[in-house]
Amino acid sequence: MVNTELKIFKQDEVRKHSTTDDLWIIIDGSVYDLTRFADLHPGGVFPLLELAGKDATDAFYGLHRQDVLHKYKRYKIGTIAGFKPQIEWREPGSFSNVPYAEPMAFQGFKSPYYNESHFKFREAVRKILDPMIEEARQYEDSGEKPSDEFLQKLGSSGILAANVGPGPWLKSFNLPGGVSPDEYDYFHELLLHGEFARFSAPGFTSGLLGGMTISVPTILNFGSPQMKAKIVPEIFSGKKRMALAITEPYTGSDVANIKTTAVKTPDGKYFIVNGVKKWITSGHFSNYFSTAVRTEKGISMLLIERGEGVETKLIKTSYSASAGTAYVTFENVKVPVENLLGKENKGFHVVLSNFNHERWSMLTGATMSARIAVEECFKWANQRQVFGKRLIDQPVIRFKLAKMIAQVESVHSWVESLTYQMNHMNYAEQSSKLAGPIALCKYQVTRMLHNVSDDACQIFGGRAITKTGMGRQIETLQRTYKFTAILGGAEEIMADLGVRQAMKKFPTGSRL
């Protein structure tokens, strides 16, 4: 409960409260009575006693994040007379003024890409998502399934549907910021993925959105009208969950070698599916699986509903179990032929159809994750004192920040350029021209993440390998950034794909 009867104190009065039984401190002009909190303090009573009755601002920000003050604001009893706060108080939904903490267009620079609707959309989405950050991180830490309530709150605001990009499915929703479905474009979606990255809860976010974002398009683009009418509203409202089941223990990028089989019954009304899938994002929680299977003359895609013969087991990975990463077993699963996605034996086309969008969406979140690391390091380097001076006063630290900023801004500019192309190309042209550039950009983004994570760890030191406290954002990045380098196509595969796509357009007569 917040103390609404705040008083004005003089510093001399605060100095009188300096014992275990009567312990006050000052943080940036605010007075806190920690008498009842002292025994609960994770660091023990001694550090508090050292600062009892004194200004503890520098000591506090040397050890704690500002959200600790948000969490324990009930202990605030007043302010110091005539003192003007020196530290910015970040409210949920606000934008950062730290250089490079936001994309340049949102820090006063000019951009050819964004209009008023993009600014309104981002502001509205941030106000929706920021109050949910603490809950998201609790799920990340506990490894629990993202709750139905959390998912459905996003569904009711149109945010789940917006994660899949522009399309007619948005007409059923009132999008944040008053953006109409007709004006929603890939730059709106780029901003949306970036806002989810601010959760800094990659496992939870994957469990919440990852499986859905890459699986629902198989229904939107290849499902029957009846299938769309039944399942799409369930998914976009948050009432049901869905996963893409392609990868197997035996094959990842080499989709053509999958072993899961689907054999038609003699009457031709069903497929009998047998096989296993592995590393299926959100699979442990999903009601539906868009599944790659081997049929008589090739690869096909089937929509399989959780039921008899479908079993999922949780796989624990480097990030949170709330991702629902699963080992999925299909044992004599009876699937109606009406659940075929696309044409029989032509499923490879369905598999490939969403790769560009999947990879691009990963890039949009990854650049924001790196940008968060830049902001964290900038703040830490300005407030951390070592050998009598701030970290930022050391040339080696400024050089590390310079490398981080340059790499983040470079790849983000490339992502924006690709997004512009997506806005102005139809699907066929995107497929022809963007597969190579997006693959190369993904390779470059994941290399950037590696470098940014490495420098951020060196700036934060031991805090960068501690899951809680000042370095928690950096610890999360350094532990999980490899997911972007592997999922959706490994770095080496992406690099090779980019060059092979370029070779298709290489002029045969070109010579030095």
Side-chain angles (χ1 to χ4, degrees), residues 77-211:
I77 59 173
T79 57
I80 296 297
F83 185 89
K84 184 179 180 180
Q86 302 298 303
I87 295 173
E88 177 190 9
W89 187 257
R90 287 287 298 276
E91 295 290 346
S94 64
F95 289 85
S96 176
N97 294 317
V98 174
Y100 304 104
E102 308 279 2
M104 293 182 69
F106 296 85
Q107 288 204 320
F109 292 86
K110 308 301 180 185
S111 171
Y113 300 128
Y114 302 100
N115 57 41
E116 185 179 0
S117 75
H118 296 112
F119 287 90
K120 287 182 177 179
F121 179 77
R122 189 172 191 242
E123 181 178 3
V125 169
R126 183 163 293 194
K127 286 181 178 177
I128 293 171
L129 296 186
D130 267 18
M132 304 172 80
I133 288 178
E134 184 176 349
E135 185 179 359
R137 289 175 179 164
Q138 289 172 355
Y139 280 112
E140 180 80 4
D141 292 339
S142 70
E144 295 176 9
K145 168 188 172 182
S147 72
D148 293 340
E149 293 76 16
F150 197 104
L151 196 63
Q152 288 168 24
K153 182 176 181 180
L154 298 177
S156 64
S157 63
I159 288 180
L160 293 182
N163 270 274
V164 184
W169 47 87
L170 295 178
K171 296 185 183 297
S172 302
F173 299 95
N174 295 315
L175 298 175
V179 175
S180 73
D182 291 332
E183 66 181 333
Y184 186 87
D185 64 13
Y186 288 111
F187 279 106
H188 292 97
E189 189 188 351
L190 178 152
L191 297 171
L192 180 60
H193 294 312
E195 291 304 299
F196 274 108
R198 296 182 66 255
F199 278 1
S200 293
F204 171 79
T205 307
S206 290
L208 193 72
L209 303 170

Side-chain angles (χ1 to χ4, degrees), residues 1 6 14 25 42 48 51 79 231 234 239 258 300 321 364 389 397 418 426 479:
M1 183 176 179
L6 298 178
V14 176
I25 63 170
L48 297 180
L51 298 165
T79 57
I231 295 171
E234 292 179 334
K239 294 178 180 178
I258 62 167
S300 299
T364 60
K389 61 172 67 174
I397 298 299
L418 291 170
N426 59 31
R479 176 168 42 84

Side-chain angles (χ1 to χ4, degrees), residues 193-445:
H193 294 312
E195 291 304 299
F196 274 108
R198 296 182 66 255
F199 278 1
S200 293
F204 171 79
T205 307
S206 290
L208 193 72
L209 303 170
M212 180 209 73
T213 303
I214 61 177
S215 62
V216 170
T218 62
I219 294 182
L220 294 172
N221 297 318
F222 300 98
S224 66
Q226 295 82 1
M227 192 186 296
K228 294 177 187 177
K230 176 182 184 295
I231 295 171
V232 173
E234 292 179 334
I235 302 300
F236 284 160
S237 66
K239 294 178 180 178
K240 293 289 182 72
R241 308 180 195 224
M242 186 172 177
L244 184 68
I246 295 177
T247 302
E248 298 182 352
Y250 336 98
T251 179
S253 300
D254 189 10
V255 178
N257 283 326
I258 62 167
K259 296 183 179 181
T260 298
T261 60
V263 179
K264 270 187 181 177
T265 56
D267 60 10
K269 293 181 178 181
Y270 298 95
F271 288 101
I272 304 300
V273 179
N274 285 281
V276 295
K277 301 291 180 180
K278 194 172 184 180
W279 299 294
I280 305 305
T281 303
S282 74
H284 195 51
F285 316 132
S286 290
N287 306 96
Y288 299 105
F289 301 86
S290 180
T291 309
V293 295
R294 180 170 298 284
T295 43
E296 185 178 2
K297 296 181 180 179
I299 303 297
S300 299
M301 288 292 290
L302 292 176
L303 178 72
I304 301 178
E305 188 170 0
R306 184 184 286 270
E308 186 178 354
V310 178
E311 183 180 343
T312 59
K313 296 178 182 177
L314 189 67
I315 298 175
K316 292 186 177 181
T317 64
S318 300
Y319 62 12
S320 174
S322 62
T325 307
Y327 186 89
V328 185
T329 303
F330 300 109
E331 187 173 345
N332 294 321
V333 180
K334 198 174 183 180
V335 181
V337 293
E338 290 80 10
N339 284 24
L340 190 67
L341 295 164
K343 297 180 180 180
E344 187 174 351
N345 301 315
K346 302 293 183 182
F348 204 69
H349 173 63
V350 181
V351 172
L352 296 177
S353 66
N354 197 49
F355 272 161
N356 281 350
H357 183 267
E358 175 189 354
R359 290 164 181 162
W360 168 84
S361 67
M362 293 174 70
L363 307 185
T364 60
T367 56
M368 179 54 82
S369 296
R371 196 178 290 282
I372 289 169
V374 168
E375 179 182 16
E376 295 281 303
C377 289
F378 230 138
K379 287 179 176 179
W380 180 243
N382 272 274
Q383 69 194 67
R384 172 66 167 163
Q385 297 276 338
V386 180
F387 302 119
K389 61 172 67 174
R390 301 175 303 166
L391 277 179
I392 197 70
D393 296 322
Q394 302 283 358
V396 66
I397 298 299
R398 295 197 298 272
F399 179 62
K400 287 183 180 296
L401 274 169
K403 289 193 297 176
M404 294 166 69
I405 293 166
Q407 291 179 73
V408 172
E409 291 298 337
S410 296
V411 295
H412 187 76
S413 293
W414 194 359
V415 171
E416 287 185 326
S417 175
L418 291 170
T419 305
Y420 180 83
Q421 304 306 318
M422 291 167 65
N423 269 350
H424 292 84
M425 291 181 180
N426 59 31
Y427 177 78
E429 192 173 7
Q430 287 185 36
S431 299
S432 171
K433 294 181 178 179
L434 294 186
I438 288 175
L440 290 173
C441 188
K442 184 175 184 295
Y443 163 77
Q444 190 67 6
V445 164

Side-chain angles (χ1 to χ4, degrees), residues 35-53:
T35 306
R36 290 178 298 160
F37 175 73
D39 289 336
L40 304 174
H41 184 238
V45 177
F46 180 73
L48 297 180
L49 279 174
E50 279 195 309
L51 298 165

